[in-house]
Amino acid sequence: MTVRIATDVLVIGWGLAGLVAASEAAAAGKRVVIVDQEPRTNLGGQAWWSFGGLFFIDSPEQRRLGIHDSPDLARQDWFGTAGFDRDDDAWPRRWADAYLDFAHHEKRTWLREKGVSFFPVVGWAERGGYTATGPGNSVPRFHITWGTGPGIVAPFEGEVEQAEQAGRLTILARHRVTALTVSDGAVTAASGEVLAPSGAARGVATSRDVVDDFEIIAGATIVTSGGIGGNHALVRERWPERLGTPPTSMVSGVPAYVDGHMLGVAKAAGAREINGDRMWHYVEGIQNWHPVWPQHGIRILPGPSSVWLDAIGARLPVPLFPGFDTLGTLAHLRRTGHDHSWFVLSYKIIEKEFTLSGSEQNPDLTGKDVKLLLSSRLGKGASGPVQDFLDHGADFVVRDTLDDLIAGMRALPGGEVLDAARVRTEVQARDREMDNDFTKDAQIAMLRSARSFRGDRLVRTAAPHRILDPAAGPLIAVKLHVLTRKSLGGLETDLHSRVLGADGEAVPGLYAAGEAAGFGGGGMHGYRALEGTFLGGCLFSGRLAGRAAAALL
């Protein structure tokens, strides 16, 4: 028997963008329904699992560290990174400018008013390494939320639950939208399947067994259903030629429910999707030794010191150092014909420089535990989560000598292609450059430069040393995989988050936000992204969508 409901605003997807949109619409006095195909344990979506990084411009945290940032510098970095070059980039360009203004002005104050605070050390991600107009952040801008992903989700989850308790908002778990109803050119309802109840833990894959169907009539419908990173077949189908051949083997940085399903549903209702070939996947993925979802991978957030080798053992070219250019490194590695690469480093480097992405991999920041934070970030030894991977991770090799390390690397699946002599040459040559203050090795020059920034010297960059120095050991090698993460394209939207059709006109009654909208406009990041901008894009586009949908009614 079909379940029928009527509401003012329907939000499809309860990730960060959905929660923000719903809270804004409810605050405006509208009746709101949120639906999602997963059990309620997944409220908060991908954002809950995140490291909680946010991009701000000229923040108090930056100024306290002596970082001189400005809107002009940030725009130079954003547009140099995005590389907008298509007719379809008209709205993404406008969204980029609007987001930069938000990141400079309202964003931090708005979040602080909601009780969100930030770790005082600002990170320097996506450093680029090219010229001033090339891709990358000219200055550190990666602000970590105190509480990581759950900390950024919490205020909006709280607002939604308060509205639910007040009777203004309804949350319907295990409701999978399969169609949008279009009447006289306007989206007026959504219909779909009620899935069998599930008690699965957060992130665990669930069944698609259907027990009923439903229809929700709404004055405005907001699609906030995320991207495609959990659907490897769709990732490969959309893989662009400029990034080489799609990997045969990948690990997943997002749960299986990030499947792209709603993009097809929205397109069937007249929505236009653009920039589907733009995507953001990492090359520092490792297999999770304690997986939650299928093919669960974790990303290493590396400092700048590890030696990066391809599958054969050749060192990656300038400026493809750890943490410098994600997609440039991905494109280079895809041309090697192999799906993996390697970090080679010392224990002295891993204890200082390795951070693992994800709320569950950072119990000190996520739990707001100052004592644990001081011991894990400033104390001796690797952090607990990193040590767990050293002890249990399938991709980690720990040995006392370089010959034994190479033998351990060659013993891993795919390791037989490694040229032992090439590895010795690369590591030993790098170490010779450490014997004096002069060097022609650009990575060594960059890591010495990084140490001039207090934040890097304090928590992110090891003192320069020879990797083969026994006092810095043992030696470590890490096998790295391509890890799927974000879609940079999506449903085309105007600056009111209204979804546009093939004719460039808004589809009445239909809105989109978050990753489903390319974080705004159908791709406000262009070809590449500056880190800390994904959660921020969900916040910004979700806020605009919720307010615009409420204003329509």
Side-chain angles (χ1 to χ4, degrees):
M1 180 178 179
T2 301
V3 177
R4 287 186 171 86
I5 301 172
T7 190
D8 296 324
V9 177
L10 169 64
V11 178
I12 304 172
W14 58 31
L16 182 58
L19 293 178
V20 173
S23 66
E24 291 286 343
K30 304 305 176 184
R31 293 173 301 142
V32 180
V33 172
I34 305 174
V35 299
D36 196 282
Q37 63 185 353
E38 295 305 307
R40 187 154 174 164
T41 48
N42 286 278
L43 200 67
Q46 297 177 65
W48 190 93
W49 293 99
S50 76
F51 194 40
L54 291 171
F55 174 100
F56 295 121
I57 301 168
D58 192 28
S59 69
E61 290 80 13
Q62 288 176 299
R63 292 194 294 271
R64 280 195 292 269
L65 290 168
I67 300 165
H68 301 287
D69 200 3
S70 70
D72 286 342
L73 184 61
R75 190 179 193 278
Q76 175 177 295
D77 288 348
W78 189 291
F79 279 74
T81 299
F84 295 122
D85 62 359
R86 299 174 176 175
D87 291 342
D88 284 347
D89 287 331
W91 281 111
R93 283 175 177 270
R94 295 174 195 173
W95 270 88
D97 273 325
Y99 178 72
L100 287 166
D101 185 70
F102 177 64
H104 181 225
H105 291 113
E106 284 185 87
K107 181 180 175 184
R108 186 180 180 280
T109 301
W110 179 58
L111 291 173
R112 290 287 293 159
E113 289 172 350
K114 293 181 179 295
V116 180
S117 58
F118 310 99
F119 186 56
V121 178
V122 183
W124 195 357
E126 284 298 294
R127 303 181 187 214
Y130 302 92
T131 63
T133 57
N137 282 298
S138 297
V139 297
R141 295 193 179 101
F142 191 78
H143 298 67
I144 301 168
T145 302
W146 188 231
T148 67
I152 196 69
V153 168
F156 303 101
E157 181 180 359
E159 290 174 6
V160 162
E161 290 178 340
Q162 286 177 10
E164 182 183 30
Q165 291 167 9
R168 300 191 309 275
L169 184 146
T170 302
I171 299 176
L172 299 175
R174 302 296 280 161
H175 281 58
R176 186 173 192 256
V177 174
T178 57
L180 298 175
T181 302
V182 180
S183 302
D184 295 327
V187 172
T188 58
S191 58
E193 303 162 337
V194 180
L195 304 179
S198 170
R202 183 185 291 273
V204 174
T206 58
S207 79
R208 293 294 175 260
D209 297 335
V210 178
V211 297
D212 209 339
D213 53 22
F214 70 91
E215 181 183 38
I216 300 173
I217 300 166
T221 297
I222 307 174
V223 176
T224 64
S225 54
I228 67 171
N231 185 340
H232 287 195
L234 190 53
V235 168
R236 293 190 182 95
E237 179 184 315
R238 296 184 172 203
W239 194 274
E241 188 174 322
R242 66 181 177 276
L243 293 180
T245 58
T248 301
S249 173
M250 298 183 284
V251 293
S252 286
V254 294
Y257 60 70
V258 187
D259 57 11
H261 168 73
M262 273 305 301
L263 296 174
V265 172
K267 287 164 66 177
R272 182 169 183 251
E273 184 187 0
I274 59 175
N275 298 318
D277 64 321
R278 292 178 179 170
M279 50 186 68
W280 188 257
H281 307 305
Y282 292 107
V283 279
E284 310 100 333
I286 50 177
Q287 301 172 81
N288 194 347
W289 68 273
H290 190 56
V292 176
W293 52 78
Q295 299 170 286
H296 189 174
I298 298 295
R299 185 205 172 195
I300 297 169
L301 301 174
S305 299
S306 298
V307 171
W308 204 334
L309 307 176
D310 67 18
I312 302 298
R315 197 164 166 198
L316 271 57
V318 176
L320 305 182
F321 312 132
F324 277 68
D325 180 6
T326 293
L327 286 201
T329 307
L330 176 61
H332 172 81
L333 289 173
R334 293 311 309 140
R335 291 193 291 270
T336 68
H338 300 281
D339 289 347
H340 69 277
S341 61
W342 299 94
F343 279 162
V344 174
L345 61 153
S346 66
Y347 189 81
K348 185 175 179 180
I349 291 173
I350 206 170
E351 69 177 349
K352 184 81 167 183
E353 298 193 4
F354 266 37
T355 298
L356 303 174
S357 183
S359 56
E360 83 286 9
Q361 299 296 332
N362 294 275
D364 52 353
L365 292 164
T366 302
K368 303 181 181 180
D369 188 330
V370 175
K371 183 178 179 181
L372 179 59
L373 185 144
L374 291 174
S375 64
S376 63
R377 309 285 165 168
L378 301 179
K380 287 290 186 181
S383 68
V386 171
Q387 188 62 52
D388 284 340
F389 274 92
L390 283 169
D391 294 338
H392 309 294
D395 297 311
F396 285 71
V397 180
V398 183
R399 299 289 189 274
D400 290 325
T401 69
L402 184 58
D403 284 348
D404 286 347
L405 187 77
I406 294 170
M409 296 163 72
R410 287 179 55 83
L412 293 185
E416 67 277 359
V417 302
L418 191 70
D419 183 333
R422 184 64 182 267
V423 175
R424 290 190 199 94
T425 296
E426 296 285 14
V427 176
Q428 291 169 353
R430 180 265 186 203
D431 272 9
R432 289 189 194 101
E433 297 285 319
M434 302 301 300
D435 287 342
N436 55 66
D437 293 335
F438 306 98
T439 183
K440 67 178 180 181
D441 190 309
Q443 184 178 3
I444 293 173
M446 290 296 289
L447 72 91
R448 286 172 174 165
S449 174
R451 295 272 297 178
S452 67
F453 168 49
R454 290 202 307 270
D456 271 3
R457 188 170 64 253
L458 184 65
V459 297
R460 289 295 287 150
T461 306
H465 62 278
R466 289 182 294 110
I467 287 176
L468 297 179
D469 182 352
L475 298 172
I476 299 165
V478 187
K479 182 181 176 184
L480 306 172
H481 307 260
V482 175
L483 177 138
T484 62
R485 186 76 95 192
K486 298 295 181 186
S487 310
L488 297 186
L491 302 176
E492 188 177 25
T493 58
D494 65 13
L495 282 173
H496 297 289
S497 288
R498 298 181 300 181
V499 174
L500 307 181
D503 59 0
E505 298 297 318
V507 178
L510 187 60
Y511 299 78
E515 193 175 354
F519 302 91
M524 73 173 187
H525 297 94
Y527 287 95
R528 307 183 191 205
L530 297 175
E531 290 286 11
T533 59
F534 300 133
L535 292 178
C538 290
L539 293 167
F540 185 51
S541 60
R543 190 171 86 149
L544 286 176
R547 293 179 178 183
L552 171 73
L553 305 174

